[in-house]
Coordinates of all heavy atoms in Angstrom, one line a residue:
M1 N -4.4 -29.0 -34.2 CA -5.2 -27.8 -33.7 C -5.0 -27.7 -32.2 O -4.9 -26.6 -31.7 CB -6.7 -28.0 -34.1 CG -7.5 -26.8 -33.7 SD -7.2 -25.5 -34.9 CE -8.4 -24.4 -34.4
T2 N -5.0 -28.8 -31.5 CA -4.9 -28.7 -30.0 C -3.5 -28.4 -29.6 O -3.3 -27.7 -28.6 CB -5.3 -30.1 -29.4 OG1 -4.4 -31.1 -29.9 CG2 -6.7 -30.4 -29.6
R3 N -2.5 -28.7 -30.5 CA -1.1 -28.4 -30.2 C -0.9 -26.8 -30.2 O -0.3 -26.2 -29.3 CB -0.2 -29.0 -31.1 CG 1.3 -28.7 -30.9 CD 2.2 -29.4 -31.8 NE 3.5 -28.9 -31.8 CZ 4.5 -29.5 -31.1 NH1 4.3 -30.6 -30.5 NH2 5.7 -28.9 -31.1
H4 N -1.5 -26.2 -31.2 CA -1.5 -24.7 -31.3 C -2.2 -24.1 -30.1 O -1.7 -23.1 -29.5 CB -2.2 -24.3 -32.6 CG -2.2 -22.8 -32.8 ND1 -1.0 -22.1 -33.0 CD2 -3.2 -21.9 -32.8 CE1 -1.3 -20.8 -33.1 NE2 -2.6 -20.7 -33.0
H5 N -3.3 -24.7 -29.7 CA -4.0 -24.2 -28.5 C -3.2 -24.3 -27.3 O -3.1 -23.4 -26.4 CB -5.4 -24.9 -28.4 CG -6.2 -24.4 -27.2 ND1 -6.8 -23.2 -27.2 CD2 -6.5 -25.1 -26.1 CE1 -7.4 -23.1 -26.0 NE2 -7.3 -24.2 -25.4
D6 N -2.5 -25.5 -27.1 CA -1.7 -25.7 -25.9 C -0.5 -24.7 -25.9 O -0.1 -24.2 -24.8 CB -1.1 -27.1 -25.9 CG -2.2 -28.1 -25.6 OD1 -3.3 -27.7 -25.1 OD2 -2.0 -29.3 -25.9
D7 N 0.1 -24.4 -27.1 CA 1.2 -23.5 -27.2 C 0.8 -22.1 -26.8 O 1.5 -21.4 -26.0 CB 1.8 -23.5 -28.6 CG 2.6 -24.7 -28.9 OD1 3.0 -25.4 -27.9 OD2 2.9 -25.0 -30.1
D8 N -0.4 -21.7 -27.2 CA -0.9 -20.4 -26.9 C -1.2 -20.3 -25.4 O -0.9 -19.2 -24.7 CB -2.2 -20.1 -27.6 CG -2.0 -19.8 -29.1 OD1 -0.8 -19.5 -29.5 OD2 -3.0 -19.8 -29.9
A9 N -1.7 -21.3 -24.8 CA -2.0 -21.3 -23.4 C -0.7 -21.2 -22.6 O -0.7 -20.5 -21.6 CB -2.8 -22.6 -23.0
R10 N 0.3 -22.0 -23.0 CA 1.6 -21.9 -22.3 C 2.2 -20.5 -22.4 O 2.8 -20.0 -21.4 CB 2.5 -22.9 -22.9 CG 2.3 -24.3 -22.4 CD 3.3 -25.2 -23.0 NE 3.3 -26.5 -22.4 CZ 4.0 -27.6 -22.8 NH1 4.8 -27.4 -23.8 NH2 3.9 -28.7 -22.1
Q11 N 2.1 -19.9 -23.6 CA 2.7 -18.6 -23.7 C 2.0 -17.6 -22.8 O 2.6 -16.7 -22.2 CB 2.6 -18.1 -25.2 CG 3.6 -18.8 -26.1 CD 3.5 -18.4 -27.5 OE1 2.5 -17.7 -27.9 NE2 4.5 -18.8 -28.3
R12 N 0.6 -17.7 -22.8 CA -0.1 -16.7 -21.9 C 0.3 -16.9 -20.4 O 0.4 -16.0 -19.7 CB -1.6 -16.9 -22.1 CG -2.2 -16.3 -23.3 CD -3.7 -16.2 -23.3 NE -4.3 -17.5 -23.1 CZ -4.6 -18.3 -24.2 NH1 -4.3 -18.0 -25.4 NH2 -5.2 -19.5 -23.9
E13 N 0.4 -18.2 -20.0 CA 0.8 -18.5 -18.7 C 2.2 -18.0 -18.3 O 2.4 -17.4 -17.3 CB 0.7 -20.0 -18.4 CG 1.0 -20.4 -17.0 CD 1.0 -21.9 -16.8 OE1 0.8 -22.7 -17.7 OE2 1.2 -22.3 -15.6
A14 N 3.1 -18.2 -19.3 CA 4.5 -17.7 -19.1 C 4.5 -16.2 -19.0 O 5.2 -15.7 -18.1 CB 5.4 -18.2 -20.2
K15 N 3.8 -15.5 -19.8 CA 3.7 -14.1 -19.8 C 3.2 -13.6 -18.5 O 3.7 -12.6 -17.9 CB 2.9 -13.5 -21.0 CG 3.0 -12.0 -21.0 CD 2.2 -11.5 -22.2 CE 2.2 -10.1 -22.4 NZ 2.1 -9.2 -21.3
A16 N 2.1 -14.2 -18.0 CA 1.5 -13.8 -16.7 C 2.5 -14.0 -15.5 O 2.6 -13.2 -14.7 CB 0.2 -14.6 -16.4
I17 N 3.2 -15.1 -15.6 CA 4.2 -15.4 -14.5 C 5.3 -14.3 -14.6 O 5.7 -13.8 -13.5 CB 4.8 -16.8 -14.7 CG1 3.7 -17.8 -14.3 CG2 6.0 -17.0 -13.8 CD1 4.1 -19.3 -14.6
L18 N 5.8 -14.0 -15.7 CA 6.9 -13.0 -15.9 C 6.4 -11.6 -15.4 O 7.1 -10.9 -14.8 CB 7.4 -13.0 -17.3 CG 8.2 -14.2 -17.7 CD1 8.5 -14.1 -19.2 CD2 9.5 -14.3 -16.9
D19 N 5.2 -11.3 -15.8 CA 4.6 -10.0 -15.3 C 4.5 -9.9 -13.8 O 4.8 -8.9 -13.2 CB 3.2 -9.7 -16.0 CG 3.3 -9.4 -17.5 OD1 4.4 -9.0 -17.9 OD2 2.3 -9.6 -18.1
R20 N 4.1 -11.0 -13.2 CA 3.9 -11.0 -11.8 C 5.3 -10.9 -11.1 O 5.5 -10.2 -10.1 CB 3.2 -12.3 -11.3 CG 2.8 -12.3 -9.9 CD 1.9 -13.5 -9.6 NE 2.3 -14.7 -10.5 CZ 1.4 -15.6 -11.0 NH1 0.1 -15.4 -10.7 NH2 1.8 -16.6 -11.7
V21 N 6.3 -11.6 -11.6 CA 7.7 -11.5 -11.1 C 8.2 -10.1 -11.2 O 8.8 -9.6 -10.3 CB 8.6 -12.6 -11.7 CG1 10.0 -12.3 -11.4 CG2 8.2 -14.0 -11.3
R22 N 8.0 -9.5 -12.4 CA 8.5 -8.2 -12.6 C 7.8 -7.2 -11.6 O 8.5 -6.3 -11.0 CB 8.1 -7.7 -14.0 CG 8.8 -6.4 -14.4 CD 8.5 -6.0 -15.9 NE 8.9 -7.1 -16.8 CZ 8.1 -7.8 -17.6 NH1 6.8 -7.6 -17.5 NH2 8.5 -8.7 -18.4
Q23 N 6.5 -7.3 -11.3 CA 5.9 -6.4 -10.4 C 6.4 -6.6 -9.0 O 6.5 -5.6 -8.2 CB 4.4 -6.7 -10.4 CG 3.7 -6.2 -11.6 CD 2.2 -6.6 -11.7 OE1 1.7 -7.3 -10.8 NE2 1.5 -6.1 -12.6
E24 N 6.7 -7.8 -8.6 CA 7.1 -8.1 -7.2 C 8.6 -7.7 -7.0 O 9.0 -7.5 -5.9 CB 6.9 -9.6 -6.9 CG 5.5 -10.0 -6.8 CD 5.3 -11.5 -6.6 OE1 6.3 -12.2 -6.5 OE2 4.1 -11.9 -6.5
T25 N 9.4 -7.7 -8.1 CA 10.8 -7.4 -7.9 C 11.3 -6.0 -8.3 O 12.4 -5.7 -8.1 CB 11.7 -8.4 -8.7 OG1 11.3 -8.4 -10.1 CG2 11.4 -9.8 -8.2
E26 N 10.4 -5.2 -8.9 CA 10.8 -3.9 -9.3 C 11.0 -3.0 -8.1 O 10.3 -3.2 -7.1 CB 9.8 -3.3 -10.3 CG 8.5 -2.9 -9.7 CD 7.6 -2.3 -10.7 OE1 7.8 -2.3 -11.9 OE2 6.5 -1.8 -10.3
P27 N 11.9 -2.1 -8.1 CA 12.2 -1.2 -7.0 C 10.9 -0.4 -6.6 O 10.1 0.0 -7.4 CB 13.3 -0.3 -7.5 CG 13.8 -0.9 -8.7 CD 12.8 -1.8 -9.3
Q28 N 10.8 -0.2 -5.3 CA 9.6 0.5 -4.8 C 10.0 2.0 -4.6 O 9.7 2.6 -3.6 CB 9.2 -0.1 -3.4 CG 8.8 -1.6 -3.5 CD 7.6 -1.8 -4.3 OE1 6.6 -1.0 -4.2 NE2 7.6 -2.8 -5.2
V29 N 10.5 2.6 -5.6 CA 10.8 4.0 -5.6 C 10.2 4.7 -6.8 O 9.6 4.0 -7.7 CB 12.4 4.3 -5.6 CG1 13.0 3.7 -4.3 CG2 13.0 3.6 -6.8
G30 N 10.3 6.0 -6.9 CA 9.8 6.7 -8.0 C 8.3 6.9 -7.9 O 7.8 7.7 -7.1
A31 N 7.6 6.3 -8.8 CA 6.1 6.5 -8.8 C 5.5 6.0 -7.6 O 4.4 6.5 -7.2 CB 5.6 5.8 -10.1
H32 N 6.1 5.0 -6.9 CA 5.5 4.4 -5.7 C 5.7 5.3 -4.5 O 5.1 5.1 -3.5 CB 6.0 3.0 -5.5 CG 5.7 2.1 -6.6 ND1 4.4 1.7 -6.9 CD2 6.5 1.5 -7.6 CE1 4.4 0.9 -8.0 NE2 5.7 0.8 -8.4
T33 N 6.6 6.2 -4.6 CA 7.0 7.0 -3.4 C 5.8 7.8 -2.9 O 5.6 7.8 -1.7 CB 8.2 7.9 -3.7 OG1 9.3 7.1 -4.2 CG2 8.6 8.7 -2.5
E34 N 5.1 8.4 -3.8 CA 3.9 9.2 -3.3 C 2.9 8.3 -2.6 O 2.3 8.7 -1.6 CB 3.3 9.9 -4.5 CG 2.2 10.9 -4.1 CD 1.7 11.7 -5.3 OE1 2.4 11.9 -6.3 OE2 0.5 12.1 -5.2
A35 N 2.6 7.2 -3.2 CA 1.7 6.3 -2.6 C 2.1 5.8 -1.2 O 1.4 5.7 -0.2 CB 1.4 5.1 -3.5
M36 N 3.4 5.6 -1.1 CA 4.0 5.1 0.2 C 3.9 6.2 1.2 O 3.5 6.0 2.4 CB 5.5 4.7 0.0 CG 6.1 4.2 1.3 SD 7.8 3.5 1.0 CE 8.6 5.0 0.4
L37 N 4.2 7.5 0.8 CA 4.0 8.6 1.8 C 2.6 8.8 2.2 O 2.3 9.1 3.4 CB 4.6 9.9 1.1 CG 6.1 9.9 0.9 CD1 6.5 11.1 0.2 CD2 6.8 9.8 2.3
T38 N 1.7 8.6 1.3 CA 0.3 8.8 1.6 C -0.2 7.7 2.6 O -0.9 8.0 3.6 CB -0.6 8.7 0.3 OG1 -0.2 9.7 -0.6 CG2 -2.1 8.8 0.6
R39 N 0.3 6.5 2.4 CA -0.1 5.4 3.3 C 0.5 5.6 4.7 O -0.1 5.4 5.7 CB 0.4 4.0 2.8 CG -0.5 3.5 1.6 CD -0.2 2.0 1.4 NE 1.2 1.8 1.1 CZ 1.8 1.7 -0.1 NH1 1.1 1.9 -1.1 NH2 3.1 1.5 -0.2
T40 N 1.8 6.1 4.7 CA 2.4 6.4 6.0 C 1.7 7.5 6.7 O 1.5 7.4 7.9 CB 3.9 6.8 5.7 OG1 4.5 5.7 5.0 CG2 4.6 7.1 7.1
R41 N 1.3 8.6 6.0 CA 0.6 9.7 6.6 C -0.7 9.2 7.2 O -1.1 9.5 8.3 CB 0.4 10.8 5.6 CG -0.3 12.0 6.2 CD -0.4 13.2 5.2 NE -0.7 12.8 3.9 CZ 0.1 12.9 2.8 NH1 1.3 13.4 3.0 NH2 -0.3 12.6 1.6
E42 N -1.5 8.4 6.4 CA -2.7 7.9 6.9 C -2.6 7.0 8.1 O -3.4 7.0 9.0 CB -3.4 7.1 5.8 CG -4.0 7.9 4.7 CD -5.2 8.7 5.2 OE1 -6.1 8.1 5.9 OE2 -5.3 9.8 4.8
H43 N -1.5 6.2 8.1 CA -1.2 5.4 9.3 C -1.0 6.2 10.6 O -1.6 5.9 11.6 CB 0.0 4.5 9.0 CG 0.4 3.6 10.1 ND1 -0.3 2.5 10.5 CD2 1.4 3.7 11.0 CE1 0.2 1.9 11.6 NE2 1.3 2.6 11.9
F44 N -0.1 7.2 10.5 CA 0.2 8.0 11.7 C -0.9 9.0 12.0 O -1.0 9.4 13.2 CB 1.5 8.7 11.5 CG 2.7 7.7 11.7 CD1 3.4 7.3 10.6 CD2 3.0 7.3 12.9 CE1 4.5 6.4 10.8 CE2 4.1 6.4 13.1 CZ 4.8 6.0 12.0
M45 N -1.8 9.3 11.1 CA -2.9 10.1 11.5 C -4.1 9.3 11.9 O -5.2 9.9 12.0 CB -3.3 11.0 10.3 CG -2.2 12.1 10.0 SD -1.7 13.1 11.3 CE -3.2 14.0 11.6
A46 N -4.0 8.0 12.1 CA -5.0 7.1 12.5 C -6.2 7.1 11.6 O -7.3 7.1 12.0 CB -5.5 7.5 13.9
G47 N -5.9 7.0 10.3 CA -6.9 6.9 9.3 C -7.8 5.7 9.3 O -8.9 5.7 8.9
D48 N -7.2 4.6 10.0 CA -8.0 3.4 10.1 C -8.8 3.3 11.3 O -9.5 2.3 11.5 CB -7.0 2.2 9.9 CG -5.9 2.2 11.0 OD1 -5.6 3.3 11.5 OD2 -5.3 1.2 11.2
A49 N -8.6 4.2 12.2 CA -9.4 4.2 13.5 C -10.8 4.8 13.2 O -11.1 5.5 12.3 CB -8.7 5.0 14.6
D50 N -11.7 4.5 14.1 CA -13.1 5.0 14.1 C -13.1 6.5 14.3 O -12.8 7.0 15.3 CB -13.9 4.3 15.1 CG -15.4 4.8 15.1 OD1 -15.8 5.4 14.1 OD2 -16.1 4.5 16.0
Q51 N -13.3 7.3 13.2 CA -13.2 8.7 13.2 C -14.3 9.4 14.1 O -14.2 10.5 14.5 CB -13.3 9.3 11.8 CG -12.1 8.8 10.9 CD -10.8 9.3 11.4 OE1 -10.6 10.4 11.8 NE2 -9.9 8.3 11.5
N52 N -15.4 8.6 14.4 CA -16.4 9.1 15.3 C -16.0 9.1 16.8 O -16.6 9.7 17.6 CB -17.7 8.4 15.1 CG -18.3 8.6 13.7 OD1 -18.1 9.7 13.1 ND2 -18.9 7.6 13.1
D53 N -15.0 8.2 17.1 CA -14.5 8.1 18.5 C -13.2 8.9 18.6 O -12.1 8.4 18.3 CB -14.3 6.6 18.8 CG -14.0 6.3 20.2 OD1 -13.8 7.3 21.0 OD2 -13.9 5.2 20.6
R54 N -13.3 10.1 19.1 CA -12.2 11.0 19.2 C -11.1 10.4 20.1 O -9.9 10.6 19.8 CB -12.7 12.3 19.7 CG -11.6 13.4 19.7 CD -11.6 14.1 18.4 NE -10.6 15.2 18.4 CZ -9.8 15.4 17.5 NH1 -9.7 14.7 16.4 NH2 -9.0 16.4 17.6
I55 N -11.4 9.8 21.2 CA -10.4 9.2 22.1 C -9.6 8.1 21.4 O -8.4 8.0 21.6 CB -11.1 8.7 23.4 CG1 -11.9 9.8 24.1 CG2 -10.1 8.0 24.3 CD1 -11.0 11.0 24.6
E56 N -10.3 7.3 20.6 CA -9.6 6.2 19.9 C -8.6 6.8 18.9 O -7.5 6.3 18.8 CB -10.6 5.3 19.2 CG -9.9 4.2 18.5 CD -10.9 3.2 17.8 OE1 -12.1 3.4 17.9 OE2 -10.4 2.3 17.1
V57 N -9.0 7.8 18.2 CA -8.1 8.5 17.2 C -6.9 9.0 17.9 O -5.8 8.8 17.5 CB -8.9 9.6 16.4 CG1 -7.9 10.3 15.6 CG2 -10.0 8.9 15.6
I58 N -7.1 9.8 19.0 CA -6.0 10.4 19.7 C -5.1 9.3 20.3 O -3.9 9.4 20.3 CB -6.5 11.4 20.8 CG1 -7.2 12.6 20.2 CG2 -5.4 11.8 21.8 CD1 -7.9 13.5 21.1
G59 N -5.7 8.3 20.9 CA -4.9 7.2 21.5 C -4.1 6.4 20.5 O -3.0 6.1 20.7
T60 N -4.7 6.2 19.3 CA -4.0 5.6 18.2 C -2.8 6.4 17.8 O -1.7 5.9 17.6 CB -4.9 5.3 17.0 OG1 -6.0 4.5 17.5 CG2 -4.2 4.5 15.9
R61 N -3.0 7.7 17.6 CA -1.9 8.6 17.2 C -0.8 8.6 18.2 O 0.4 8.5 17.9 CB -2.4 10.0 17.0 CG -3.3 10.2 15.8 CD -3.8 11.6 15.7 NE -4.7 11.7 14.5 CZ -5.5 12.7 14.3 NH1 -5.4 13.8 15.1 NH2 -6.2 12.8 13.3
I62 N -1.1 8.7 19.5 CA -0.1 8.7 20.6 C 0.6 7.4 20.6 O 1.9 7.4 20.7 CB -0.8 9.0 22.0 CG1 -1.3 10.4 22.0 CG2 0.2 8.7 23.1 CD1 -2.1 10.7 23.2
G63 N -0.1 6.3 20.5 CA 0.6 5.0 20.5 C 1.5 4.8 19.3 O 2.6 4.3 19.5
R64 N 1.1 5.2 18.2 CA 2.0 5.1 17.0 C 3.2 6.0 17.1 O 4.3 5.6 16.7 CB 1.2 5.3 15.7 CG 0.2 4.2 15.5 CD -0.6 4.3 14.3 NE -1.5 3.2 14.2 CZ -2.5 3.1 13.4 NH1 -2.8 4.0 12.5 NH2 -3.3 2.0 13.3
L65 N 3.0 7.2 17.6 CA 4.2 8.1 17.8 C 5.1 7.5 18.9 O 6.3 7.6 18.7 CB 3.7 9.5 18.2 CG 4.7 10.5 18.4 CD1 5.5 10.8 17.2 CD2 4.1 11.8 18.9
A66 N 4.5 7.0 19.9 CA 5.4 6.4 21.0 C 6.2 5.2 20.5 O 7.3 5.0 20.9 CB 4.5 6.0 22.2
G67 N 5.6 4.5 19.6 CA 6.3 3.4 19.0 C 7.5 3.8 18.2 O 8.6 3.2 18.2
V68 N 7.4 4.9 17.4 CA 8.5 5.4 16.6 C 9.6 6.0 17.5 O 10.8 5.8 17.3 CB 8.0 6.5 15.6 CG1 9.1 7.3 15.0 CG2 7.1 5.9 14.6
V69 N 9.1 6.7 18.6 CA 10.1 7.3 19.5 C 10.9 6.2 20.2 O 12.1 6.2 20.4 CB 9.4 8.2 20.5 CG1 10.3 8.6 21.7 CG2 8.9 9.5 19.8
G70 N 10.2 5.1 20.7 CA 10.8 4.0 21.3 C 11.8 3.3 20.4 O 12.9 2.9 20.8
F71 N 11.5 3.2 19.1 CA 12.4 2.6 18.1 C 13.6 3.4 18.0 O 14.7 2.9 18.0 CB 11.7 2.4 16.8 CG 12.6 2.0 15.7 CD1 13.0 0.7 15.6 CD2 13.1 2.9 14.8 CE1 13.9 0.3 14.6 CE2 13.9 2.5 13.7 CZ 14.3 1.2 13.7
V72 N 13.5 4.7 17.9 CA 14.6 5.6 17.7 C 15.5 5.5 19.0 O 16.8 5.4 18.9 CB 14.2 7.1 17.4 CG1 15.4 8.0 17.5 CG2 13.5 7.1 16.1
V73 N 14.9 5.6 20.2 CA 15.7 5.5 21.4 C 16.5 4.2 21.5 O 17.7 4.2 21.8 CB 14.8 5.7 22.6 CG1 15.5 5.4 23.9 CG2 14.3 7.2 22.7
L74 N 15.8 3.1 21.2 CA 16.5 1.8 21.3 C 17.5 1.7 20.2 O 18.6 1.1 20.5 CB 15.4 0.7 21.2 CG 14.5 0.5 22.4 CD1 13.4 -0.6 22.1 CD2 15.3 0.1 23.6
S75 N 17.3 2.2 19.1 CA 18.3 2.2 18.0 C 19.6 3.0 18.4 O 20.7 2.6 18.2 CB 17.8 2.8 16.7 OG 16.7 2.0 16.2
L76 N 19.4 4.1 19.1 CA 20.5 5.0 19.5 C 21.3 4.2 20.6 O 22.5 4.3 20.7 CB 20.0 6.3 20.0 CG 19.5 7.2 18.9 CD1 18.9 8.5 19.5 CD2 20.6 7.6 17.9
L77 N 20.5 3.6 21.5 CA 21.2 2.8 22.6 C 22.0 1.7 22.0 O 23.1 1.4 22.5 CB 20.2 2.3 23.6 CG 19.5 3.3 24.5 CD1 18.4 2.7 25.3 CD2 20.6 3.9 25.5
L78 N 21.5 1.0 21.1 CA 22.2 -0.1 20.4 C 23.5 0.4 19.7 O 24.6 -0.1 19.8 CB 21.3 -0.8 19.4 CG 22.0 -1.9 18.6 CD1 22.5 -3.1 19.5 CD2 21.0 -2.5 17.6
A79 N 23.3 1.6 19.0 CA 24.4 2.1 18.3 C 25.5 2.6 19.3 O 26.7 2.4 19.0 CB 24.0 3.3 17.4
S80 N 25.1 3.1 20.4 CA 26.1 3.5 21.4 C 26.8 2.3 22.0 O 28.0 2.4 22.3 CB 25.5 4.4 22.5 OG 24.7 3.6 23.3
Q81 N 26.1 1.2 22.1 CA 26.8 0.0 22.7 C 27.7 -0.6 21.6 O 28.8 -1.1 22.0 CB 25.7 -1.0 23.0 CG 24.9 -0.7 24.2 CD 25.7 -0.8 25.5 OE1 26.5 -1.7 25.7 NE2 25.5 0.2 26.4
L82 N 27.4 -0.5 20.4 CA 28.2 -1.1 19.3 C 29.4 -0.2 19.0 O 30.5 -0.8 18.8 CB 27.4 -1.3 18.1 CG 26.3 -2.4 18.1 CD1 25.5 -2.5 16.8 CD2 27.0 -3.8 18.4
F83 N 29.2 1.1 18.9 CA 30.3 2.0 18.5 C 30.9 2.8 19.6 O 31.8 3.6 19.3 CB 29.7 2.9 17.4 CG 29.2 2.1 16.2 CD1 27.9 2.2 15.9 CD2 30.0 1.3 15.4 CE1 27.4 1.5 14.8 CE2 29.5 0.6 14.3 CZ 28.2 0.7 14.0
G84 N 30.4 2.7 20.8 CA 30.9 3.4 21.9 C 32.2 2.9 22.4 O 32.8 2.0 21.8
D85 N 32.7 3.4 23.4 CA 34.0 3.0 24.0 C 34.4 1.7 23.6 O 35.1 0.9 23.6 CB 33.9 3.2 25.5 CG 33.6 4.6 25.9 OD1 34.6 5.4 26.0 OD2 32.4 4.9 26.1

């Protein structure tokens, strides 16, 4: 009786591990794209900042936009150094 119980427990554990691996390794496209876009929009619109503090919201938006602009500028400079003359 305990052998049957042990086998069932092992099967449940193996199934849980396989489900977890499948969730972690499946591509993050398709159904997840909308959720990713929503999270990105919330991030750049300072959804996590204190909405009662207008200055904090504006400052967060400016800082995040400046970060993206800085990344693009540095990427272009790197590309010009690698592929330029």
Side-chain angles (χ1 to χ4, degrees):
M1 185 79 173
T2 58
R3 180 179 168 100
H4 179 69
H5 180 68
D6 290 342
D7 288 343
D8 287 344
R10 282 183 167 174
Q11 285 180 351
R12 282 193 304 272
E13 181 181 4
K15 185 179 182 320
I17 290 170
L18 289 173
D19 288 342
R20 194 171 29 216
V21 168
R22 188 177 304 114
Q23 288 175 353
E24 291 175 0
T25 58
E26 72 182 9
Q28 299 296 317
V29 294
H32 300 291
T33 303
E34 185 176 332
M36 184 175 58
L37 290 175
T38 301
R39 284 193 308 263
T40 303
R41 182 175 41 248
E42 285 292 318
H43 177 74
F44 283 104
M45 294 304 292
D48 57 338
D50 182 12
Q51 297 299 312
N52 294 327
D53 187 355
R54 187 84 176 139
I55 300 299
E56 181 179 356
V57 172
I58 292 171
T60 303
R61 289 178 183 170
I62 290 170
R64 291 177 180 172
L65 180 63
V68 170
V69 170
F71 173 76
V72 169
V73 168
L74 289 174
S75 297
L76 291 173
L77 287 172
L78 176 63
S80 72
Q81 289 292 317
L82 291 175
F83 303 115
D85 299 274

